């Protein structure tokens, strides 16, 4: 797991292995051309830097079928190479994270194989992107859960391998919950089929009859490519009461298309954080909403008036900032219902809870923004806008816990953020931009602090790692669960979380005996003696985290106490 | 500008993949969701707009070399601009199309030339056109037309024919009919006959800046000498190059430039042309890239951080010509328009642009057939367009596969409606008049 210097370039792939790859997928669909490979190594998003490159793959292959994926994986096993699957590839999660990785680009496996209207599921290949799946399912009165990376990303990647929450989770749940039958190429090249698919009964159930390994295949957050390659899966669909082929005018803020019957967008404001948490939880428990979330006022500003936030006058606009902050306890509800009665019921519940908690709500049609909000959220067409104001963004925190703990933790997040804004490290979005949304009728709630910065500016890039460490520290102090994707941190925190790392590693050894999957983000071991970054802020935070981890550690027989 | 001048643009890429798809609000089906012919055909990231930028970045950062394979990828791109438009839905600080142009120039500067492009450049040098045809025959299409010769007569309007229309005999009836319409509406039209040269835009797209510069200068001096007030061209390529590439080279033309469809619409609205005959037909409209997003006028480079660039200085494809042909079709009695999924700013390219027609006929055919399939899927009986290069790409792709689907120039439909019968080739005698 050694890094090969600042440019992270592995030695070239051997001719014999390359020839085998060519035979497996056809010479046209393999490359080892350095400039082409670098298209997979440039990954500025979720990259802890300081460079924006990850490891350059030694080759990229474009398989067209499960059999070809299987052949590629077997070749990697034969030649002692690693492999990593990539779909859209938006973020360092998808690029190689160690040496000698063959990147398996799944673009040629992009079909929608079946839409089962009656049983409400769709069967997809990896590169059928969210926008395509949505367009086809909407024609049949059904909708697909899409995470907030939006319409470009792969529903299969999200469901099988990578997190899975989104504002539509209020109605369409977590990606992993929507996962039904799966076809999976294990890291040793064996193909297994899960759930009903494994017993020859079709795609409709992920848990059998037939092998049920849903927990193993992705755990809570996903294995980020570290458990092999998923080649097909079935995903649960939900009701779509709108038109079968919605075609708005415009692309983003210029979006124009009437709201469908019985559909609305509301914004509600509360006097304080507690009433926001109470009211929105109560509303969500009742099953209200199609897309619902607490936007940050700051995030809205980054989208609507990005230039303002770079100006000196904004920094000094003390009262304007305070005035904007006064609207921070807000919540957006997009309603899409089948009938006037249902809409009336949903509105009544909202009105009731909002007034009980001292808030007020507004039909967004009065603001002229209802159509834009409704359609860009329903079509997931808005998300890349996060990159407009500064060029890059990361999510600090990014946690999923109970709604109250998430909402009530956000002041701490805001404080950390403000500190780094004051140091000039990140874009000044008023530090009030915490985003929340709920899944599973509010049993899980997501919180994240988007941090916008210019990754082309080394002064800003340098701040990102310390900021992330500080957020991790806060999580640890609050005993929150954390999705840890670095081997060093996993080693530190494994003992605080039931030694999950050992279980994970144990499973890894069974399904990947030759260690061929690039599992850096999932269960790779830290490299002994790997130098820590020399940034004092990072070192200080690492020590603090180690302290906390020691205090919270269990023994292998149970808690320390 | 050079490739390194766009380093910040290239580094700006977040790898979001929007440049591979039609803008997401407009995605209507699985089948027609893609916007880039190149990555749709070849699949590696490097063939997309974003992937091309990352190859450029890799080279600028000294991580990789410009090899033959990389140059080949750079050339397998129509420079159609669909990626740029999609990226700019979200970004103000990336000028993708400009990076693609700079990549071409880098290839030429480093001697990574391809024979098919060299043949075009040789032809330009020898004969002043991109088709290898004799310069002396450039005005042959106008034989017998009462049109002025701007080399020795003053005219209000210069009609710039363009290489393809000038030499492609199958297009001559369309061309001649159009000029007749302009004349019948009272326009004082002149052409340069054999003195007309290529606009030079194709050379620019292929990376030959010096050549392009020469042709721009030639055009500029001809326009100045003519005293004309307006340039009208039926060539969408030329139209885009006059509006965008000329000013980018610092050679902006001193007169207004109009595409002929704009002029015809104007004449119809003024009552100078009467579209009276029924042309009963369900058509779909193919937006040529060069009439649409690529014809958006040049805007001066933004000095400083493009994050702060104001919208009026962002060239995002919205100011191309989209409504004019649609309006014109509405004026033709009997014509009904049914739209494809990929239209306007997010239109799918015919395949002919950026030197692909000349060097990579297989990619060109692939793009054209994809578009014909999309046109067919609408239920239309025919496709209309207004660019000779698109027309030829469709015509040749259909011929190659033995398929048939009617493709009209909008000017043909206008002529039918006016009641002008197309001339047969026998009626059009070759040879220059003057
Ligand atoms: C702006 C933005 C907002 C985001 N917000 C959210 C959010 O709200 N909720 C959320 O859950 N996520 C969010 N994310 C992260 C998101 O989950 C991922 O970016 C997205 O799911 C990736 O989809 P993709 O098609 O780009 O997959 P990729 O980036 O290609 O892959 C994602 C991971 O899955 C692995 N993988 C992909 N395909 C396969 C396969 N077939 N077999 C095995 N492994 C595979 C890859 O190796 C990689 O580790 C956000 C990302 C962005 C950029
Ligand atoms: S749309 Fe723009 S930012 Fe996104 S991948 Fe393409 S070039 Fe990069
Ligand atoms: S210009 Fe056209 S062909 Fe070239 S990369 Fe962009 S979308 Fe693809």
């Amino acid at each position: 797991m050694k890094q090969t210097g600042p440019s992270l370039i592995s030695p070239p792939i051997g001719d014999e292995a390359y020839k085998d790859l060519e035979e497996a997928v056809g010479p046209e669909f393999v490359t080892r051309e350095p400039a082409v490979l670098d298209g997979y190594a440039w990954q500025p998003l979720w990259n802890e830097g300081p460079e924006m490159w990850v490891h350059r793959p030694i080759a990229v292959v474009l398989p067209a079928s499960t059999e070809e994926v299987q052949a590629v994986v077997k070749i990697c096993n034969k030649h002692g190479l690693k492999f990593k699957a990539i779909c859209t590839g938006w973020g360092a999660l998808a690029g190689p994270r160690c040496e000698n990785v063959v990147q398996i680009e799944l673009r040629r496996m992009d079909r929608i194989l079946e839409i089962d209207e009656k049983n409400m599921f769709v069967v997809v290949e990896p590169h059928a992107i969210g926008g395509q799946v949505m367009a086809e399912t909407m024609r049949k009165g059904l909708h697909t859960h899409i995470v907030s990376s939006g319409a470009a990303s792969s529903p299969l990647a999200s469901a099988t391998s990578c997190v899975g929450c989104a504002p539509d989770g209020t109605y369409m749940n977590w990606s992993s919950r929507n996962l039904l039958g799966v076809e999976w190429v294990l890291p040793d090249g064996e193909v297994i089929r899960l759930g009903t698919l494994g017993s020859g009964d079709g795609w409709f159930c992920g848990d059998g009859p037939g092998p049920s390994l849903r927990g193993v295949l992705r755990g809570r957050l996903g294995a980020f490519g570290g458990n092999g390659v998923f080649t097909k899966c079935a995903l649960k669909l939900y009701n779509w009461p709108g038109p079968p082929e919605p075609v708005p005018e415009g692309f983003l803020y210029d979006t124009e298309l009437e709201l469908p019957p019985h559909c609305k967008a509301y914004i509600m404001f509360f006097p304080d954080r507690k009433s926001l948490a109470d009211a929105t939880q109560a509303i969500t428990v009742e099953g209200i909403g199609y897309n619902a979330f607490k936007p940050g006022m700051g995030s809205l500003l980054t989208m609507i008036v990005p230039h303002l936030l770079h100006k000196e006058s904004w920094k000094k606009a003390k009262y304007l900032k305070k005035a904007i902050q006064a609207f921070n306890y807000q919540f957006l509800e997009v309603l899409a219902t089948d009938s006037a009665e249902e809409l009336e019921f949903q509105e009544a519940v909202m009105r009731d809870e909002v007034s009980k908690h001292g808030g007020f709500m507004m039909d967004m049609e009065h603001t002229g923004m209802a159509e834009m909000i409704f359609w860009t959220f329903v079509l997931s067409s808005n998300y890349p806008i996060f990159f407009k104001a500064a060029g890059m963004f990361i999510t600090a925190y990014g946690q999923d816990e109970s709604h109250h703990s998430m909402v009530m933790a956000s002041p701490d997040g805001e404080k950390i953020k403000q500190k780094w804004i004051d140091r000039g490290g990140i874009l000044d979005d008023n530090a009030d931009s915490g985003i929340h949304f709920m899944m599973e009728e509010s049993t899980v709630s997501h919180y994240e602090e988007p941090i916008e910065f210019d990754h082309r500016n080394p002064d800003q890039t340098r701040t990102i790692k310390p900021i992330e460490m500080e957020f991790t520290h806060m999580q640890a102090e609050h005993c929150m669960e954390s999705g840890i994707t670095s081997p060093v941190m996993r080693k530190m925190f494994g003992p605080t979380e039931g030694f999950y790392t050992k279980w994970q590693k144990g499973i890894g050894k069974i399904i990947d005996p030759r260690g061929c999957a690039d599992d850096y983000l999932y269960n790779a071991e830290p490299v002994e003696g790997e130098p820590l970054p020399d940034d004092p802020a990072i070192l200080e935070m690492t020590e603090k985290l180690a302290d906390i981890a020691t205090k919270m550690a269990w023994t292998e027989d149970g808690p320390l106490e | 500008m050079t490739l390194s001048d766009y380093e910040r643009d290239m580094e700006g890429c977040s790898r979001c993949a929007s440049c591979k798809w039609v803008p997401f609000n407009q995605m209507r089906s699985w089948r027609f969701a893609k916007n880039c012919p190149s990555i749709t055909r070849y699949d590696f990231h490097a063939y997309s707009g974003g992937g091309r930028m990352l190859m450029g970045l890799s080279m600028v950062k000294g991580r990789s070399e410009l090899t033959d394979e990389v140059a080949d990828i750079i050339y397998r791109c129509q420079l159609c601009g669909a990626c740029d438009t999609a990226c700019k839905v979200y970004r103000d600080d990336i000028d993708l199309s400009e990076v693609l142009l700079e990549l071409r120039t880098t290839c030429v500067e480093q001697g990574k030339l391809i024979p098919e492009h060299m043949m075009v450049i040789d032809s330009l040098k020898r004969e002043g056109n991109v088709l290898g045809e004799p310069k002396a025959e450039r005005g042959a299409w106008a034989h017998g037309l009462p049109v002025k010769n701007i080399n020795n007569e003053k005219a209000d309007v210069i009609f710039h024919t363009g290489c393809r229309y000038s030499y492609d005999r199958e297009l001559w009836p369309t061309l001649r009919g159009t000029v007749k319409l302009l004349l019948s509406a009272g326009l004082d039209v002149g052409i340069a006959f054999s003195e007309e040269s290529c606009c030079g835009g194709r050379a620019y797209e292929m990376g030959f800046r010096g050549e392009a510069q020469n042709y721009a200068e030639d055009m500029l001096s001809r326009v100045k000498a003519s005293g004309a007030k307006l340039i009208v061209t039926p060539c969408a390529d030329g139209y885009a190059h006059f509006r965008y590439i000329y000013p980018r080279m610092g050679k902006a033309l001193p007169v207004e430039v109009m595409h002929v469809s704009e002029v015809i619409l104007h004449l119809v609205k003024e009552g100078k042309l009467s579209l009276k005959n029924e042309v009963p037909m369900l058509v779909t409209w193919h937006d040529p890239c060069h009439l649409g997003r690529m014809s958006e006028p040049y805007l001066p480079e933004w000095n400083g951080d493009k994050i702060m660039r104001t919208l009026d200085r962002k060239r995002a494809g919205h100011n191309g010509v989209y409504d004019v042909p649609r309006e014109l079709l509405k004026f033709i009695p009997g014509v009904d328009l049914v739209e494809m999924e990929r239209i306007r700013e997010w239109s799918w390219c015919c395949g002919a642009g950026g030197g692909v027609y000349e060097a990579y006929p297989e990619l060109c055919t692939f793009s054209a057939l994809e578009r014909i399939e999309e046109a067919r899927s609408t239920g239309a009986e025919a496709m209309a367009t207004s660019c000779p290069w698109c027309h030829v790409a469709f015509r040749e792709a259909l011929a190659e596969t033995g398929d048939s689907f009617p493709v009209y120039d909008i000017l043909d439909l206008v002529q039918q409606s006016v009641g002008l019968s197309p001339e047969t080739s026998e009626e059009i005698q070759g040879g220059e008049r003057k």
Side-chain angles (χ1 to χ4, degrees):
Chain A
M1 201 59 55
K2 189 161 67 55
Q3 302 219 336
T4 45
S7 50
L8 309 177
I9 297 174
S10 307
I13 185 171
D15 288 342
E16 207 188 315
Y18 192 75
K19 205 162 143 280
D20 284 351
L21 291 174
E22 285 187 320
E23 269 170 27
V25 295
E28 205 187 331
F29 300 114
V30 196
T31 184
R32 54 178 160 179
E33 180 63 41
V36 179
L37 301 179
D38 265 353
Y40 299 83
W42 175 258
Q43 284 292 5
L45 176 68
W46 321 125
N47 193 332
E48 291 164 359
E51 288 208 53
M52 296 295 119
W53 304 93
V54 293
H55 285 266
R56 178 192 278 173
I58 51 172
V60 179
V61 290
L62 286 161
S65 65
T66 305
E67 292 69 32
E68 288 188 3
V69 171
Q70 192 180 15
V72 169
V73 167
K74 283 186 172 165
I75 291 164
C76 292
N77 274 267
K78 177 177 155 196
H79 293 280
L81 306 175
K82 289 194 172 272
F83 66 86
K84 175 117 183 223
I86 186 168
C87 280
T88 303
W90 196 6
L93 306 169
R97 301 310 297 267
C98 57
E99 283 185 331
N100 282 329
V101 174
V102 173
Q103 184 101 62
I104 304 180
E105 148 97 84
L106 294 158
R107 214 185 127 83
R108 291 175 73 216
M109 297 175 70
D110 67 344
R111 290 172 303 167
I112 297 172
L113 297 166
E114 182 185 345
I115 299 174
D116 185 327
E117 274 176 82
K118 191 162 152 250
N119 295 301
M120 295 172 76
F121 67 78
V122 60
V123 183
V124 287
E125 290 189 324
H127 211 284
I129 65 156
Q132 290 176 301
V133 179
M134 247 187 303
E136 295 299 336
T137 54
M138 277 175 150
R139 285 171 199 259
K140 298 183 188 291
L142 297 165
H143 207 311
T144 319
H145 165 65
I146 308 281
V147 295
S148 318
S149 42
S153 53
S154 151
L156 177 143
S158 174
T160 59
S161 310
C162 184
V163 203
C165 54
D168 70 15
T170 200
Y171 189 72
M172 294 189 251
N173 218 325
W174 257 82
S175 294
S176 59
R177 292 276 194 242
N178 294 328
L179 188 62
L180 306 173
V182 179
E183 184 183 81
W184 179 8
V185 178
L186 295 177
D188 65 357
E190 185 187 345
V191 178
I192 57 168
R193 295 181 176 82
L194 304 189
T196 39
L197 189 66
S199 57
D201 293 313
W203 293 93
F204 71 92
C205 178
D207 289 321
S212 171
L213 296 172
R214 282 207 293 177
V216 169
L217 83 83
R218 62 160 284 157
R220 198 183 86 71
L221 286 178
F224 306 105
N227 267 349
V229 186
F230 303 100
T231 42
K232 292 181 189 90
C233 77
L235 299 169
K236 196 169 160 191
L237 297 173
Y238 294 83
N239 175 41
W240 162 240
E245 206 180 297
V247 184
E249 294 259 314
F251 304 128
L252 197 63
Y253 300 140
D254 50 350
T255 299
E256 277 179 37
L257 178 65
E258 270 185 23
L259 294 189
H262 323 307
C263 293
K264 286 268 187 193
Y266 278 98
I267 187 154
M268 46 192 79
F269 297 94
F270 297 94
D272 53 41
R273 211 176 293 268
K274 172 87 172 45
S275 33
L276 165 79
D278 291 343
T280 51
Q281 172 132 33
I283 289 167
T284 311
V285 165
E286 295 294 340
I288 308 302
Y290 203 75
N291 229 293
F293 67 107
K294 176 208 166 287
M297 283 303 286
S299 295
L300 291 180
L301 294 177
T302 63
M303 296 171 197
I304 297 164
V305 283
H307 297 170
L308 173 70
L309 307 187
H310 292 272
K311 300 220 161 119
E312 275 304 306
S313 50
W314 165 247
K315 288 199 186 101
K316 293 179 192 145
K318 202 165 104 192
Y319 291 106
L320 175 62
K321 285 178 162 190
K322 278 190 194 292
I324 291 171
Q325 217 139 17
F327 292 97
N328 195 26
Y329 310 120
Q330 58 168 294
F331 203 75
L332 256 169
E333 281 281 358
V334 168
L335 307 183
T337 71
D338 275 311
S339 63
E341 291 76 19
E342 194 189 336
L343 179 64
E344 206 178 304
F345 166 74
Q346 296 209 5
E347 289 174 318
V349 172
M350 285 194 322
R351 215 169 284 121
D352 193 32
E353 290 299 338
V354 170
S355 74
K356 240 196 257 173
H357 293 91
F360 67 97
M361 61 190 241
M362 186 164 51
D363 184 336
M364 294 218 51
E365 277 182 68
H366 300 311
T367 67
M369 284 172 24
E371 293 177 5
M372 187 269 283
I373 295 282
F374 183 90
W375 287 112
T376 56
F377 274 93
V378 163
L379 298 173
S380 290
S381 58
N382 49 353
Y383 293 113
I385 196 68
F386 280 123
F387 296 79
K388 188 186 183 79
M392 190 46 59
F393 108 117
I394 56 152
T395 296
Y397 228 23
Q399 291 312 302
D400 304 278
E401 287 271 356
S402 79
H403 188 51
H404 275 80
S405 62
M406 290 288 87
V407 176
M408 300 317 284
S410 40
D412 287 346
E414 287 163 14
K415 264 187 229 141
I416 297 177
K417 210 170 143 181
Q418 187 61 55
K419 185 173 95 187
W420 288 96
I421 290 172
D422 293 342
R423 289 184 189 178
I426 54 176
L427 185 71
D428 181 358
D429 63 357
N430 221 12
D432 63 352
S433 54
I435 291 173
H436 300 277
F437 45 80
M438 284 167 266
M439 277 82 51
E440 300 182 348
E441 296 186 351
S442 94
T443 53
V444 188
S445 169
H446 180 78
Y447 164 37
E448 66 186 63
E449 282 291 338
I451 291 181
E452 308 211 9
F453 68 105
D454 191 344
H455 58 295
R456 295 159 289 197
N457 176 344
D459 289 340
Q460 298 200 0
T461 308
R462 259 197 297 278
T463 63
I464 296 310
K465 183 80 186 160
I467 292 175
E468 284 192 329
M469 295 286 279
E470 222 169 305
F471 272 97
T472 310
H473 179 236
M474 183 173 87
Q475 277 161 233
E477 288 220 306
H478 288 298
C479 292
M480 286 175 181
E481 110 7 308
S482 48
I484 289 168
T485 51
S486 115
V488 177
M489 297 289 273
R490 274 201 303 270
K491 186 174 183 190
M492 216 185 268
F493 280 93
T496 73
E497 297 179 10
F499 288 94
Y500 77 96
T501 39
K502 292 205 170 189
W503 293 101
Q504 212 163 268
K505 195 76 206 164
I507 293 167
K509 281 194 176 132
I510 295 167
I511 63 172
D512 188 10
R514 285 175 214 86
C516 286
D518 169 1
D519 60 354
Y520 176 87
L521 299 168
Y522 188 54
N523 62 11
E525 309 272 10
V527 179
E528 290 307 326
E530 191 168 30
L532 284 167
D534 55 7
D535 186 316
I538 300 178
L539 289 174
E540 186 196 327
M541 211 42 80
T542 311
E543 272 175 34
K544 280 188 184 174
L545 283 167
D547 269 358
I548 295 175
T550 314
K551 276 188 213 139
M552 289 164 57
W554 292 25
T555 69
E556 296 211 28
D557 302 322
L560 264 180
E561 299 291 281
Chain B
M1 301 292 279
T2 65
L3 189 59
S4 335
D5 293 327
Y6 289 95
E7 188 170 336
R8 256 186 77 80
D9 299 54
M10 296 188 280
E11 282 186 313
C13 176
S14 75
R15 225 185 171 289
C16 71
S18 306
C19 53
K20 296 171 182 171
W21 305 99
V22 301
F24 300 113
N25 259 6
Q26 305 299 336
M27 201 172 270
R28 297 173 207 181
S29 71
W30 176 88
R31 178 64 188 83
F32 300 118
K34 294 172 182 167
N35 70 345
C36 167
S38 187
I39 186 158
T40 303
R41 171 64 189 82
Y42 301 112
D43 288 304
F44 287 112
H45 187 60
Y47 289 89
S48 69
R52 290 169 189 284
M53 288 213 301
L54 297 185
M55 286 203 299
L57 183 64
S58 170
M59 292 188 286
V60 165
K61 295 280 187 195
R63 291 172 56 96
S64 62
E65 305 276 319
L66 176 60
T67 61
D68 290 346
E69 188 177 329
V70 172
D72 184 65
I73 295 173
I74 290 172
Y75 288 125
R76 284 179 195 264
C77 157
Q78 282 91 340
L79 297 176
C80 72
C83 48
D84 186 59
T85 304
C87 180
K88 284 192 175 128
V89 171
Y90 305 107
R91 299 294 293 262
D92 300 336
D93 56 340
I94 298 176
D95 283 322
L96 219 169
S97 284
E98 280 70 7
V99 173
L100 302 187
L101 285 170
E102 297 306 332
L103 281 169
R104 295 291 176 97
T105 311
T106 307
C107 285
V108 171
E109 281 168 2
Q110 295 193 21
K112 295 288 175 199
L113 311 174
I114 49 175
E116 295 83 355
H117 287 185
M118 288 311 296
M119 275 166 65
V120 171
I121 300 302
D122 282 348
S123 160
L124 274 173
K125 284 183 181 153
R126 274 186 294 105
E127 306 291 350
N129 67 77
V130 293
L131 297 167
E133 297 285 347
K135 182 167 176 59
E137 288 173 21
R138 188 157 183 127
W141 65 270
H143 175 70
L145 286 178
V147 63
K148 283 182 176 172
N149 182 340
I150 60 160
N151 302 307
N152 46 39
E153 290 166 277
K154 293 273 177 212
D156 290 343
V157 179
I158 296 181
F159 188 85
H160 177 84
T161 318
C163 300
R164 175 51 68 179
Y165 264 125
S166 294
Y167 293 107
D168 189 329
R169 283 172 182 260
E170 283 192 42
L171 300 177
W172 282 8
T174 310
L175 182 61
R176 289 170 61 88
T178 302
V179 171
K180 283 184 197 166
L181 290 185
L182 298 180
L183 294 170
S184 73
L187 261 60
D188 179 24
V189 180
I191 64 172
F193 289 91
S194 60
E195 291 307 305
E196 182 184 294
S197 290
C198 174
C199 64
R202 193 63 105 230
Y204 192 91
E205 289 182 341
M206 288 174 175
F208 293 85
R209 296 264 163 107
E211 290 303 316
Q213 192 91 9
N214 292 343
Y215 285 98
E217 275 160 17
D218 181 56
M219 182 74 194
L220 200 54
S221 56
R222 206 167 32 251
V223 170
K224 278 184 185 158
S226 75
K229 300 185 191 82
L230 175 69
I231 296 175
V232 174
T233 181
C235 177
D237 265 36
Y239 178 69
H241 298 145
F242 293 146
R243 298 210 326 160
Y244 172 63
I245 289 191
Y246 275 40
R248 189 170 196 254
M249 291 192 288
K251 304 283 171 206
L253 294 172
V255 296
E256 192 184 350
V257 179
M258 288 177 87
H259 187 257
V260 72
S261 60
E262 295 178 291
V263 179
I264 299 270
L265 178 65
H266 195 68
L267 296 174
V268 170
K269 282 183 171 171
E270 282 194 330
K272 292 187 175 157
L273 281 180
S274 163
L275 303 182
K276 52 185 188 303
N277 292 346
E278 286 264 331
V279 185
M281 196 185 290
L282 182 63
V283 296
T284 189
W285 175 253
H286 166 71
D287 288 287
C289 310
H290 283 97
L291 185 60
R293 56 191 170 236
M294 296 310 283
S295 82
E296 177 157 343
Y298 173 76
L299 297 169
E301 283 288 326
W302 179 262
N303 291 321
D305 189 349
K306 282 187 197 163
I307 289 250
M308 299 301 284
R309 179 158 64 169
T310 49
L311 287 186
D312 59 344
R313 292 286 294 279
K314 177 169 140 180
R315 212 171 149 263
H318 309 316
N319 294 323
V321 178
Y322 304 110
D323 293 326
V324 166
R326 289 177 170 80
E327 228 185 304
L328 195 49
L329 286 173
K330 270 198 203 140
F331 272 105
I332 303 175
V335 165
D336 279 322
L337 174 67
V338 52
E339 295 279 15
M340 288 184 268
E341 290 184 24
R342 294 174 289 192
I343 53 170
R344 303 177 72 94
E345 291 98 315
W346 63 103
S347 176
W348 177 268
C349 171
C350 71
V356 166
Y357 173 80
E358 293 81 0
Y360 303 101
E362 178 261 347
L363 174 59
C364 181
T365 304
F366 166 82
S367 301
L369 291 178
E370 165 77 6
R371 191 56 160 170
I372 287 162
E373 193 173 330
E374 186 176 356
R376 250 198 203 114
S377 76
T378 63
E381 296 159 62
M383 178 158 64
T385 187
S386 198
C387 166
W389 292 97
C390 297
H391 205 99
V392 167
F394 296 135
R395 184 178 77 199
E396 292 183 2
L398 286 165
E400 204 181 310
T401 52
D403 193 2
S404 67
F405 188 73
V407 180
Y408 292 98
D409 195 308
I410 195 169
L411 303 169
D412 294 325
L413 302 181
V414 168
Q415 286 165 39
Q416 282 183 42
S417 186
V418 169
L420 196 70
S421 324
E423 292 170 284
T424 62
S425 44
E426 290 77 44
E427 286 167 314
I428 307 168
Q429 301 287 309
E432 274 210 60
R433 185 169 64 95
K434 304 183 186 183

